[in-house]
């Protein structure tokens, strides 16, 4: 342990912040080892981090200090417990630093310390001290101190049992109200990110007295800041919806109008690649209000599919299908078309329908040649995994597997081959092959696919061995 710790100390503090992040994580893993050496190691690192916080300003040291304190707090809480009060006394230097990344790192270290206290202390005193210091930072009235105090309040709100007193709730809400229109965009975004936590603190009170005010504020902000980072606002809407549930129904029209506007391409033929927060918001709305969304979703689905295949889109579709069952058939048809176009270059053809491809598998061969492009590799891999994991109940996909998916078992890229193998196995396992009513043709198709899978499972070192196990189930 000592040797590895010394190696890591060479790069801490590092000139490159990312190296500091990785080195601090490695230190945290060393702290998990336990034993007498671990206690000495943790003591040395905590004391060194505190010295860096108290010493002359040095950005690299200060950032490394908060990273190390966070990792040690998470991985060796028992050993760090005796230093928590000292950390809380000195963390404010970093929480009010001029660099955003140092303030955010300090907030994470603060959360680790508060988590240690929450598991070992029942007294309200430490929490009150932290909250009072945050209020003192607000009175300093600089962008850095205000942001640091808002980050501190964010961390305090994770521990609801210490923050549910009525007066404390009122104080926090008043802070949000006071700074929601601040001139600095970072502070406004931080206020927006705090709204769901405040709503979760006292849901009934928030719904009665503050929901309308805060939803109006968030929605107006989305309308004004069309060309800026709107992820915090969309995330806040979704999280508030999870807390309020059916209480969000009156705001659905306005929310979905902004979502539709966000999904419409601003430049002809070009789709905004940063739609992930919008899809996350749609997912959370589906979880929160369920079938109340049904009548709004059909035109919205068109816009969602027009953005192209992406992980946020597929995750949103899974939630929509699960929480709004009437949408499942529509989602299945549209998603199959999208996946077929990615994998074969043409729309999905139902079993028995005439083929539009006069050259047999030429489209798939062409798609395989394009796998040399990294972006296309990622898209094909995602398409294969989505095909194998999404609920396509009611659709017989065996022919599509044989005509298209099996071809990707011969791709040069190992990740694509693995995804293809997993998808073939998943779809064949889902098929009712053991039913007496299965046709001879269906059995023939499954036999051909299994033969190919066995060949790949035996000869391809890039395909996981479990493929063979799955095949043997048959």
């Amino acid at each position: 342990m000592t040797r590895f710790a010394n190696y890591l100390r060479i790069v801490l503090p590092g000139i490159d912040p990312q190296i500091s992040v990785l080195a601090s994580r490695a230190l945290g893993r060393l702290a998990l080892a336990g034993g007498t050496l671990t206690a000495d190691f943790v003591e040395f690192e905590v004391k060194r981090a505190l010295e860096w916080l108290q010493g002359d300003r040095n950005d690299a040291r200060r950032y490394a200090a908060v990273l190390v304190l966070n990792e040690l707090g998470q991985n060796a809480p028992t050993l760090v417990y005796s230093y928590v009060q000292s950390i809380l006394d000195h963390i404010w230097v970093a929480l009010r630093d001029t660099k955003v990344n140092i303030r955010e790192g300090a907030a994470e270290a603060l959360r680790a310390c508060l988590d240690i206290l929450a598991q070992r202390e029942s007294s309200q005193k430490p929490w009150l001290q932290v909250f009072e210091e945050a209020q003192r930072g607000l009175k300093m009235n600089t962008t850095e101190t205000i942001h640091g105090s808002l980050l501190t309040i964010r961390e305090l709100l994770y521990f609801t049992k210490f923050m549910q007193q009525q007066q404390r709730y009122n104080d926090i809400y008043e802070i949000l109200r006071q700074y929601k229109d601040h001139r600095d965009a970072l502070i406004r975004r931080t206020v927006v990110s705090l709204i769901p936590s405040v709503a979760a603190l006292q849901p009934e009170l928030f719904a009665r007295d503050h929901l309308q005010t805060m939803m109006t504020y968030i929605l107006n902000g989305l309308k004004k800041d069309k060309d800026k980072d709107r992820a915090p606002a969309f995330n806040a809407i979704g999280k508030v919806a999870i807390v309020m549930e059916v209480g969000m129904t009156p705001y659905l029209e306005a929310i979905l109008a902004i979502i539709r506007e966000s999904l419409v391409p601003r430049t002809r033929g070009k789709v905004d690649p940063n739609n992930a927060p919008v899809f996350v918001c749609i997912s959370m709305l589906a979880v929160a209000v369920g079938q109340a969304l049904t009548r709004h979703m059909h035109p919205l689905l068109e816009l969602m599919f027009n953005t192209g295949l992406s992980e946020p889109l597929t995750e949103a579709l899974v939630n929509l299908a699960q929480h709004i069952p009437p949408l499942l058939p529509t989602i299945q048809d549209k998603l199959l078309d999208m996946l077929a176009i990615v994998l074969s270059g043409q729309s999905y053809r139902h079993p028995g329908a005439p083929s539009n491809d006069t050259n047999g598998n030429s489209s798939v061969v062409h798609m395989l040649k394009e796998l040399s492009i990294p972006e296309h590799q990622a898209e094909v891999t995602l398409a294969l995994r989505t095909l194998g994991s999404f609920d396509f109940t009611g659709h017989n996909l065996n022919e599509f597997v044989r005509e298209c998916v099996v071809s990707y078992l011969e791709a040069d890229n190992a990740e694509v081959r693995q995804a293809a193998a997993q998808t073939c196995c998943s779809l064949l396992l889902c098929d009712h092959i053991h039913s007496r009513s299965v046709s001879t043709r269906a059995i023939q198709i499954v036999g051909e696919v299994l033969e190919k899978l066995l060949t790949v499972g035996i000869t391809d070192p890039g395909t996981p061995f479990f493929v063979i196990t799955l095949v043997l189930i048959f």
Side-chain angles (χ1 to χ4, degrees):
M1 173 184 283
T2 303
R3 183 175 61 179
F4 285 121
N6 287 333
Y7 289 153
L8 292 170
R9 286 166 187 155
I10 295 173
V11 294
L12 274 173
I15 299 175
D16 184 346
Q18 189 56 39
I19 292 177
S20 294
V21 170
L22 296 173
S24 63
R25 286 179 185 169
L27 279 176
R29 293 294 177 88
L30 282 180
L32 286 171
T36 54
L37 288 177
T38 301
D40 295 337
F41 157 69
V42 170
E43 179 183 10
F44 176 86
E45 292 299 336
V46 171
K47 287 183 177 179
R48 185 172 72 145
L50 289 172
E51 289 174 4
W52 286 346
L53 288 178
Q54 297 172 66
D56 294 337
R57 177 179 176 79
N58 182 303
D59 289 345
R61 284 190 170 188
R62 196 168 285 184
Y63 187 50
V66 296
L67 291 174
V68 168
L69 291 174
N70 176 39
E71 292 295 334
L72 294 179
Q74 291 185 57
N75 293 291
T78 302
L79 296 174
V80 173
Y81 175 58
S82 59
Y83 299 98
V84 165
Q85 189 56 56
S86 182
I87 294 172
L88 293 179
D89 290 340
H90 296 100
I91 198 71
W92 298 99
V93 174
L95 278 166
R96 292 163 183 163
D97 194 90
T98 56
K99 297 291 183 67
V100 174
N101 67 328
I102 294 177
R103 296 199 296 271
E104 291 178 343
E108 292 178 2
L110 175 63
R111 187 193 302 181
C113 291
L114 293 175
D115 191 43
I116 293 171
L117 288 177
Q119 297 175 33
R120 293 164 175 79
E121 298 271 353
S122 58
S123 170
Q124 294 277 332
K125 185 177 178 181
W127 308 86
L128 183 59
Q129 288 176 341
V130 172
F131 185 58
E132 288 175 348
E133 189 64 28
Q135 290 177 307
R136 194 170 78 85
L138 293 172
K139 293 176 183 177
M140 295 179 184
N141 203 32
T142 67
T143 299
E144 293 79 17
T145 59
I146 293 170
H147 183 237
S149 293
L150 291 175
L151 291 177
T152 301
I153 292 170
R154 182 191 70 188
E155 304 309 327
L156 287 170
L157 287 170
Y158 277 101
F159 305 92
T160 54
K161 69 176 182 178
F162 295 99
M163 301 300 294
Q164 284 180 326
Q165 291 183 5
Q166 185 63 50
Q167 184 56 49
R168 207 162 294 166
Y169 173 85
N170 292 338
D171 290 342
I172 293 173
Y173 179 78
E174 182 57 30
I175 290 169
L176 297 192
R177 191 196 64 77
Q178 181 179 351
Y179 291 100
K180 66 184 178 67
D181 297 312
H182 194 274
R183 65 182 182 278
D184 188 271
L186 177 61
I187 291 177
R188 294 197 303 273
R189 288 197 299 270
T190 308
V191 167
V192 168
S193 70
L194 288 174
I195 293 173
S197 299
V198 175
L201 199 61
Q202 296 274 4
E204 293 183 4
L205 181 61
F206 187 87
R208 186 188 69 205
D209 297 340
H210 308 309
L211 179 58
Q212 183 176 0
T213 301
M214 286 302 173
M215 284 306 302
T216 301
Y217 166 67
I218 296 173
L219 292 171
N220 286 342
L222 282 170
K223 292 174 183 176
K224 292 177 184 177
D225 300 333
K226 292 183 179 181
D227 298 320
K228 298 180 181 177
D229 180 14
R230 305 201 291 175
F234 281 118
N235 285 327
I237 289 173
K239 290 177 180 179
V240 170
I242 295 291
V243 176
M244 297 289 103
E245 295 181 337
V246 294
M248 287 293 285
T249 305
Y251 307 97
L252 288 180
E253 291 278 2
I255 293 169
L256 293 170
I258 291 175
I259 287 176
R260 284 192 295 270
E261 183 183 354
S262 301
L263 293 176
V264 173
R266 298 183 188 179
T267 305
R268 187 178 180 86
K270 291 187 177 180
V271 177
D272 186 355
N274 300 313
N275 284 317
V278 180
F279 293 135
V280 171
C281 181
I282 294 170
S283 292
M284 288 191 279
L285 287 173
V287 173
V289 303
Q291 297 196 36
L293 272 179
T294 306
R295 67 187 183 90
H296 303 281
M297 284 308 303
H298 287 286
L300 187 58
L301 281 174
E302 290 289 342
L303 294 172
M304 291 173 67
F305 278 99
N306 287 343
T307 64
L309 185 64
S310 65
E311 284 194 33
L313 171 65
T314 58
E315 290 169 5
L317 294 175
V318 168
N319 280 313
L320 287 170
Q322 181 180 350
H323 295 280
I324 312 176
L327 290 179
L328 179 58
T330 303
I331 293 174
Q332 287 177 329
D333 291 342
K334 290 182 177 295
L335 185 55
L336 277 174
D337 267 347
M338 172 180 276
L339 298 178
I341 289 171
V342 171
L343 296 173
S344 68
Q346 55 187 346
S347 298
Y348 177 71
R349 181 169 56 86
H350 291 273
S355 174
N356 295 324
D357 186 1
T358 57
N359 296 316
N361 290 329
S362 61
S363 297
V364 179
V365 172
H366 175 70
M367 304 303 282
L368 281 167
K369 290 179 179 178
E370 290 190 353
L371 283 177
S372 58
I373 305 171
E375 293 80 2
H376 189 58
Q377 288 177 9
E379 186 180 35
V380 166
T381 303
L382 176 59
L384 289 167
R385 288 176 177 165
T386 303
L387 184 66
S389 61
F390 194 83
D391 178 12
F392 287 111
T393 302
H395 290 266
N396 187 335
L397 300 177
N398 285 349
E399 287 198 19
F400 185 69
V401 170
R402 185 189 65 170
E403 295 173 2
C404 178
V405 178
V406 165
S407 301
Y408 286 94
L409 294 172
E410 301 174 0
D412 292 334
N413 183 272
E415 189 176 2
V416 172
R417 293 198 305 274
Q418 178 178 330
Q422 290 172 331
T423 298
C424 289
C425 292
S426 298
L427 292 176
L428 293 183
L429 281 170
C430 291
D431 187 60
H432 303 294
I433 189 63
H434 300 296
S435 171
R436 293 182 180 179
S437 61
V438 174
S439 67
T440 305
R441 177 174 173 76
I443 295 175
Q444 179 185 351
I445 292 173
V446 171
E448 291 176 11
V449 175
L450 290 181
E451 182 180 356
K452 188 69 176 179
L453 278 170
L454 278 169
T455 303
V456 172
I458 294 169
T459 62
D460 187 351
T463 305
F465 181 76
F466 74 83
V467 169
I468 299 177
T469 305
L470 287 175
V471 171
L472 290 176
I473 292 175
F474 295 93

